[in-house]
Amino acid sequence: MIIYLLCFILFLVGLYGVISKRNLIKIIIGIAIMEYSINLFFILIGYVEGGTAPILTKGFENSKFVDPLPQAMILTSIVIGLATTALLLAVAIRLYQKYGTFDINKIKDLKG
Amino acid sequence: MNSLIPLFVIIPLGSAFVMVILGRFIKNFNKFITPIFMLGLVYLTFHFMMNSEGTLIYKVGGHEPVGNTPIAIYMVMDGLAKLVLLIISLVGFLSIFYSLSYTKQYTAERKFYVLFSLMIAGMNGIVISGDIFNIFVFLEIAALSSYALVAFGVEKQQLEASFKYQVLGGIASLIILLTIGLIYWNTGTLNIADISRQLTINCSSPSGTNVFIKFISVLLIAGFGLKAAIFPFHSWLPDAHSSAPSPISAMLSGVLIKAVGIYVLIRLFFNMFPISYELSMTITVLGTISMIVGVLLAIGQWDFKRLLAYHSISQMGYVIIGVGIGMLILAKGGDKKIAALSISGGLFHMLNHSIFKGLLFLNAGSVEYRTNTRNLKKLGGLSSKMPITSGSSFIASMAISGIPPFNGFFSKVLIIIAAVQAGYIWIAFFAVLVSVITLASFTKIQKYLFFGELHSKYEKIKEVPFSMSFSMILLSVLCLVLSLLVIPEVRMIFLQPAVDVLINAADYSTNILGI
């Protein structure tokens, strides 16, 4: 049980970073941390105590396997996370070129 | 017929791929191919609407279920999916036709069409997917391309809006992914129909499952509420929708928040979870609040597109209360006829809103295209110079504020009648009040933008080019034609299949699993 709690705390650490930090790069790091914690959570769901890799070979048909589906989902989700982070960083670099700063207090043209 | 279902994803995704490669060598290839395949999708949707009934299933890879457990990825086409696909392809075609002239101001014109096709592929995928993880994957495709499209102008404001949108959208996606993990943990399946069956079996025995369902529901409302910009989660919408290029604003406001947010919420809460009273009350209350807050925030705006974006929040509130009242009646076991009336009002308003809000954003784009400003205080008297823009914007304004011959009136009336019949007098009262305030704020637009004195700077402006005015004329005609949906015989063809899916919510899983 404790490992799930630790995983949830990791999620909250990321959320804290997104909410409280003023630097664009730190916000992006926060989002990345949240993402990793959820990937970890998926792996935990599929884990079976003492299980082996889910490959059917002769003589091992009846042994314990870990659940392969969460792992497949996480591979997809890691790729999606890569795209999200890359786009966020690209926009952050463009913002730096326009404003000359990463501070979100100085980037506030849109109001109301 | 069943094997045609994946085409809704394959066509736009394949075209996006081909456009990246061939667009480099052939001049105007992207501009030529995108409207053509969008027209093809419109035809395909009508083909499905006219010629098929009930639920069609396509199993990717052709794997048959083992025992009672579905193995393949399911693609499901039912009444609700057809209605949303109609919205996507119709508004998508008209706004891409509009973009043909509009995108000339951008340097990276080719990439606009590639991103647009990706967004269409993502939204179509969400709608036809019968699998909760694939909904997430397609949602990310649609969301990523929309983030990039919001920042397409790469000016200060666009970048800032896009960053804000990405951070909030990213958090929403992560919450949705967490929910998918929790659902898989509890039920051991990802297929929506199968999850629904498992939850119904589990629900009858221990009380712990009810707590689980409530927890999941709250997370889902937070995740998809952020995507749909329901009241406490709406702060990104005015920035993102007002900063994007105008045809994209029309797509975001008219289609994306419906396909990504409202559609998935409706689908999951009707067809996956057992309908509960508390949850439907939460949804209805949130809808009412966002309806009121959106319109109150809209009154004080002087930026044309920002004002329209706030009205999107308010109008989505109407859709949510229409569906929410239907849910409340079903949860209490009340009269199914009133529930059907209310839900059809909500879905009808969703269709109408995509048409008139799309048209209004295209009008805003036309005004900006000729005058380079969106500030209402600096404009005036454009009706003599731009008659088509002015006329179509007048029609759309009347439609959104609910003036009789136009479509907005009939859907609002359906929702209000249903609310009164179901005994929710206050909701009906607020719906009428918000409608009046909407009329006031659109009167303001008409006055400052199209009437009054013409600024001397704008003496020489002309009407917009053909492709832009064609889209606007067609959308204003649709504003009138869609009023016909209020006639019961016409409604049977277009709206009734979608309403049936939601009224007989439990049939969804039996239809798909066949048990």
Side-chain angles (χ1 to χ4, degrees), chain B residues 13-32:
Chain B
L13 204 58
S15 322
F17 186 71
V18 171
M19 276 192 277
V20 175
I21 299 169
L22 289 185
R24 222 172 252 277
F25 305 111
I26 306 168
K27 202 171 170 261
N28 286 339
F29 178 73
N30 294 4
K31 280 190 164 185
F32 181 67

PDB file of all heavy atoms in Angstrom, chain B residues 13-32:
ATOM      1  N   LEU B  13      -5.967  11.096 -41.257  1.00  0.00           N
ATOM      2  CA  LEU B  13      -4.615  10.784 -40.790  1.00  0.00           C
ATOM      3  C   LEU B  13      -3.699  10.507 -41.973  1.00  0.00           C
ATOM      4  O   LEU B  13      -2.572  11.028 -42.046  1.00  0.00           O
ATOM      5  CB  LEU B  13      -4.676   9.557 -39.875  1.00  0.00           C
ATOM      6  CG  LEU B  13      -3.573   9.371 -38.850  1.00  0.00           C
ATOM      7  CD1 LEU B  13      -3.513  10.567 -37.931  1.00  0.00           C
ATOM      8  CD2 LEU B  13      -3.819   8.126 -38.035  1.00  0.00           C
ATOM      9  N   GLY B  14      -4.190   9.730 -42.951  1.00  0.00           N
ATOM     10  CA  GLY B  14      -3.397   9.429 -44.135  1.00  0.00           C
ATOM     11  C   GLY B  14      -3.114  10.682 -44.943  1.00  0.00           C
ATOM     12  O   GLY B  14      -1.985  10.893 -45.411  1.00  0.00           O
ATOM     13  N   SER B  15      -4.133  11.552 -45.081  1.00  0.00           N
ATOM     14  CA  SER B  15      -3.909  12.770 -45.857  1.00  0.00           C
ATOM     15  C   SER B  15      -2.874  13.652 -45.192  1.00  0.00           C
ATOM     16  O   SER B  15      -2.044  14.264 -45.876  1.00  0.00           O
ATOM     17  CB  SER B  15      -5.196  13.568 -46.019  1.00  0.00           C
ATOM     18  OG  SER B  15      -6.261  12.730 -46.201  1.00  0.00           O
ATOM     19  N   ALA B  16      -2.908  13.717 -43.858  1.00  0.00           N
ATOM     20  CA  ALA B  16      -1.915  14.536 -43.160  1.00  0.00           C
ATOM     21  C   ALA B  16      -0.512  14.028 -43.471  1.00  0.00           C
ATOM     22  O   ALA B  16       0.402  14.806 -43.745  1.00  0.00           O
ATOM     23  CB  ALA B  16      -2.159  14.492 -41.654  1.00  0.00           C
ATOM     24  N   PHE B  17      -0.361  12.700 -43.477  1.00  0.00           N
ATOM     25  CA  PHE B  17       0.934  12.083 -43.756  1.00  0.00           C
ATOM     26  C   PHE B  17       1.388  12.398 -45.181  1.00  0.00           C
ATOM     27  O   PHE B  17       2.527  12.807 -45.417  1.00  0.00           O
ATOM     28  CB  PHE B  17       0.793  10.580 -43.540  1.00  0.00           C
ATOM     29  CG  PHE B  17       2.069   9.820 -43.651  1.00  0.00           C
ATOM     30  CD1 PHE B  17       3.033   9.934 -42.668  1.00  0.00           C
ATOM     31  CD2 PHE B  17       2.311   8.996 -44.727  1.00  0.00           C
ATOM     32  CE1 PHE B  17       4.210   9.235 -42.762  1.00  0.00           C
ATOM     33  CE2 PHE B  17       3.489   8.295 -44.827  1.00  0.00           C
ATOM     34  CZ  PHE B  17       4.441   8.418 -43.845  1.00  0.00           C
ATOM     35  N   VAL B  18       0.455  12.217 -46.129  1.00  0.00           N
ATOM     36  CA  VAL B  18       0.801  12.452 -47.540  1.00  0.00           C
ATOM     37  C   VAL B  18       1.127  13.929 -47.767  1.00  0.00           C
ATOM     38  O   VAL B  18       2.047  14.266 -48.506  1.00  0.00           O
ATOM     39  CB  VAL B  18      -0.370  12.002 -48.430  1.00  0.00           C
ATOM     40  CG1 VAL B  18      -0.134  12.426 -49.864  1.00  0.00           C
ATOM     41  CG2 VAL B  18      -0.544  10.507 -48.344  1.00  0.00           C
ATOM     42  N   MET B  19       0.368  14.810 -47.071  1.00  0.00           N
ATOM     43  CA  MET B  19       0.561  16.243 -47.283  1.00  0.00           C
ATOM     44  C   MET B  19       1.945  16.703 -46.845  1.00  0.00           C
ATOM     45  O   MET B  19       2.534  17.582 -47.461  1.00  0.00           O
ATOM     46  CB  MET B  19      -0.508  17.024 -46.532  1.00  0.00           C
ATOM     47  CG  MET B  19      -1.792  17.154 -47.302  1.00  0.00           C
ATOM     48  SD  MET B  19      -2.869  18.343 -46.531  1.00  0.00           S
ATOM     49  CE  MET B  19      -3.638  17.399 -45.288  1.00  0.00           C
ATOM     50  N   VAL B  20       2.452  16.108 -45.743  1.00  0.00           N
ATOM     51  CA  VAL B  20       3.786  16.499 -45.267  1.00  0.00           C
ATOM     52  C   VAL B  20       4.821  16.209 -46.347  1.00  0.00           C
ATOM     53  O   VAL B  20       5.718  17.009 -46.607  1.00  0.00           O
ATOM     54  CB  VAL B  20       4.141  15.743 -43.977  1.00  0.00           C
ATOM     55  CG1 VAL B  20       5.554  16.068 -43.558  1.00  0.00           C
ATOM     56  CG2 VAL B  20       3.192  16.102 -42.881  1.00  0.00           C
ATOM     57  N   ILE B  21       4.664  15.052 -47.031  1.00  0.00           N
ATOM     58  CA  ILE B  21       5.672  14.659 -48.022  1.00  0.00           C
ATOM     59  C   ILE B  21       5.459  15.382 -49.351  1.00  0.00           C
ATOM     60  O   ILE B  21       6.337  16.066 -49.855  1.00  0.00           O
ATOM     61  CB  ILE B  21       5.628  13.128 -48.236  1.00  0.00           C
ATOM     62  CG1 ILE B  21       5.948  12.432 -46.915  1.00  0.00           C
ATOM     63  CG2 ILE B  21       6.614  12.712 -49.298  1.00  0.00           C
ATOM     64  CD1 ILE B  21       5.688  10.959 -46.934  1.00  0.00           C
ATOM     65  N   LEU B  22       4.240  15.235 -49.921  1.00  0.00           N
ATOM     66  CA  LEU B  22       4.030  15.741 -51.271  1.00  0.00           C
ATOM     67  C   LEU B  22       3.860  17.259 -51.319  1.00  0.00           C
ATOM     68  O   LEU B  22       4.151  17.886 -52.333  1.00  0.00           O
ATOM     69  CB  LEU B  22       2.799  15.084 -51.891  1.00  0.00           C
ATOM     70  CG  LEU B  22       2.954  13.604 -52.253  1.00  0.00           C
ATOM     71  CD1 LEU B  22       1.716  13.116 -52.969  1.00  0.00           C
ATOM     72  CD2 LEU B  22       4.168  13.394 -53.133  1.00  0.00           C
ATOM     73  N   GLY B  23       3.382  17.859 -50.195  1.00  0.00           N
ATOM     74  CA  GLY B  23       3.154  19.301 -50.184  1.00  0.00           C
ATOM     75  C   GLY B  23       4.410  20.086 -50.463  1.00  0.00           C
ATOM     76  O   GLY B  23       4.386  21.214 -50.961  1.00  0.00           O
ATOM     77  N   ARG B  24       5.567  19.497 -50.165  1.00  0.00           N
ATOM     78  CA  ARG B  24       6.850  20.123 -50.407  1.00  0.00           C
ATOM     79  C   ARG B  24       7.115  20.307 -51.903  1.00  0.00           C
ATOM     80  O   ARG B  24       7.731  21.265 -52.323  1.00  0.00           O
ATOM     81  CB  ARG B  24       7.916  19.184 -49.841  1.00  0.00           C
ATOM     82  CG  ARG B  24       9.010  19.814 -49.105  1.00  0.00           C
ATOM     83  CD  ARG B  24       9.814  18.693 -48.470  1.00  0.00           C
ATOM     84  NE  ARG B  24       9.604  18.649 -47.039  1.00  0.00           N
ATOM     85  CZ  ARG B  24      10.282  19.435 -46.196  1.00  0.00           C
ATOM     86  NH1 ARG B  24      11.163  20.280 -46.657  1.00  0.00           N
ATOM     87  NH2 ARG B  24      10.069  19.368 -44.915  1.00  0.00           N
ATOM     88  N   PHE B  25       6.686  19.301 -52.707  1.00  0.00           N
ATOM     89  CA  PHE B  25       7.055  19.303 -54.128  1.00  0.00           C
ATOM     90  C   PHE B  25       5.972  19.884 -55.024  1.00  0.00           C
ATOM     91  O   PHE B  25       6.266  20.477 -56.048  1.00  0.00           O
ATOM     92  CB  PHE B  25       7.374  17.868 -54.571  1.00  0.00           C
ATOM     93  CG  PHE B  25       8.430  17.221 -53.728  1.00  0.00           C
ATOM     94  CD1 PHE B  25       8.121  16.180 -52.873  1.00  0.00           C
ATOM     95  CD2 PHE B  25       9.738  17.691 -53.771  1.00  0.00           C
ATOM     96  CE1 PHE B  25       9.092  15.599 -52.086  1.00  0.00           C
ATOM     97  CE2 PHE B  25      10.714  17.117 -52.985  1.00  0.00           C
ATOM     98  CZ  PHE B  25      10.388  16.068 -52.136  1.00  0.00           C
ATOM     99  N   ILE B  26       4.695  19.671 -54.663  1.00  0.00           N
ATOM    100  CA  ILE B  26       3.625  20.131 -55.533  1.00  0.00           C
ATOM    101  C   ILE B  26       3.025  21.397 -54.941  1.00  0.00           C
ATOM    102  O   ILE B  26       2.608  21.415 -53.784  1.00  0.00           O
ATOM    103  CB  ILE B  26       2.539  19.044 -55.677  1.00  0.00           C
ATOM    104  CG1 ILE B  26       3.179  17.743 -56.140  1.00  0.00           C
ATOM    105  CG2 ILE B  26       1.457  19.493 -56.633  1.00  0.00           C
ATOM    106  CD1 ILE B  26       2.269  16.553 -56.032  1.00  0.00           C
ATOM    107  N   LYS B  27       2.978  22.449 -55.734  1.00  0.00           N
ATOM    108  CA  LYS B  27       2.462  23.720 -55.241  1.00  0.00           C
ATOM    109  C   LYS B  27       0.961  23.618 -54.969  1.00  0.00           C
ATOM    110  O   LYS B  27       0.224  23.025 -55.751  1.00  0.00           O
ATOM    111  CB  LYS B  27       2.742  24.806 -56.288  1.00  0.00           C
ATOM    112  CG  LYS B  27       2.736  26.195 -55.705  1.00  0.00           C
ATOM    113  CD  LYS B  27       3.231  27.225 -56.723  1.00  0.00           C
ATOM    114  CE  LYS B  27       2.974  28.610 -56.195  1.00  0.00           C
ATOM    115  NZ  LYS B  27       1.769  29.219 -56.735  1.00  0.00           N
ATOM    116  N   ASN B  28       0.518  24.149 -53.864  1.00  0.00           N
ATOM    117  CA  ASN B  28      -0.894  24.188 -53.502  1.00  0.00           C
ATOM    118  C   ASN B  28      -1.551  22.813 -53.358  1.00  0.00           C
ATOM    119  O   ASN B  28      -2.757  22.697 -53.410  1.00  0.00           O
ATOM    120  CB  ASN B  28      -1.704  24.998 -54.502  1.00  0.00           C
ATOM    121  CG  ASN B  28      -1.464  26.477 -54.348  1.00  0.00           C
ATOM    122  OD1 ASN B  28      -1.024  26.910 -53.276  1.00  0.00           O
ATOM    123  ND2 ASN B  28      -1.723  27.242 -55.374  1.00  0.00           N
ATOM    124  N   PHE B  29      -0.729  21.769 -53.163  1.00  0.00           N
ATOM    125  CA  PHE B  29      -1.284  20.426 -53.008  1.00  0.00           C
ATOM    126  C   PHE B  29      -2.176  20.347 -51.770  1.00  0.00           C
ATOM    127  O   PHE B  29      -3.300  19.843 -51.806  1.00  0.00           O
ATOM    128  CB  PHE B  29      -0.134  19.420 -52.908  1.00  0.00           C
ATOM    129  CG  PHE B  29      -0.571  18.005 -52.689  1.00  0.00           C
ATOM    130  CD1 PHE B  29      -1.156  17.287 -53.712  1.00  0.00           C
ATOM    131  CD2 PHE B  29      -0.398  17.391 -51.450  1.00  0.00           C
ATOM    132  CE1 PHE B  29      -1.559  15.990 -53.521  1.00  0.00           C
ATOM    133  CE2 PHE B  29      -0.796  16.084 -51.250  1.00  0.00           C
ATOM    134  CZ  PHE B  29      -1.380  15.388 -52.286  1.00  0.00           C
ATOM    135  N   ASN B  30      -1.674  20.914 -50.651  1.00  0.00           N
ATOM    136  CA  ASN B  30      -2.428  20.841 -49.402  1.00  0.00           C
ATOM    137  C   ASN B  30      -3.750  21.575 -49.487  1.00  0.00           C
ATOM    138  O   ASN B  30      -4.771  21.098 -49.027  1.00  0.00           O
ATOM    139  CB  ASN B  30      -1.596  21.455 -48.265  1.00  0.00           C
ATOM    140  CG  ASN B  30      -0.363  20.665 -47.972  1.00  0.00           C
ATOM    141  OD1 ASN B  30      -0.092  19.695 -48.664  1.00  0.00           O
ATOM    142  ND2 ASN B  30       0.378  21.069 -46.968  1.00  0.00           N
ATOM    143  N   LYS B  31      -3.709  22.764 -50.121  1.00  0.00           N
ATOM    144  CA  LYS B  31      -4.924  23.561 -50.244  1.00  0.00           C
ATOM    145  C   LYS B  31      -5.976  22.848 -51.067  1.00  0.00           C
ATOM    146  O   LYS B  31      -7.171  23.052 -50.905  1.00  0.00           O
ATOM    147  CB  LYS B  31      -4.597  24.886 -50.941  1.00  0.00           C
ATOM    148  CG  LYS B  31      -3.993  25.893 -50.052  1.00  0.00           C
ATOM    149  CD  LYS B  31      -3.953  27.205 -50.789  1.00  0.00           C
ATOM    150  CE  LYS B  31      -3.727  28.318 -49.819  1.00  0.00           C
ATOM    151  NZ  LYS B  31      -3.805  29.610 -50.449  1.00  0.00           N
ATOM    152  N   PHE B  32      -5.502  22.021 -52.009  1.00  0.00           N
ATOM    153  CA  PHE B  32      -6.412  21.338 -52.906  1.00  0.00           C
ATOM    154  C   PHE B  32      -7.021  20.117 -52.224  1.00  0.00           C
ATOM    155  O   PHE B  32      -8.223  19.875 -52.292  1.00  0.00           O
ATOM    156  CB  PHE B  32      -5.619  20.931 -54.154  1.00  0.00           C
ATOM    157  CG  PHE B  32      -6.417  20.239 -55.187  1.00  0.00           C
ATOM    158  CD1 PHE B  32      -7.416  20.925 -55.880  1.00  0.00           C
ATOM    159  CD2 PHE B  32      -6.210  18.907 -55.477  1.00  0.00           C
ATOM    160  CE1 PHE B  32      -8.164  20.289 -56.840  1.00  0.00           C
ATOM    161  CE2 PHE B  32      -6.957  18.267 -56.436  1.00  0.00           C
ATOM    162  CZ  PHE B  32      -7.938  18.964 -57.112  1.00  0.00           C
TER     163      PHE B  32
END
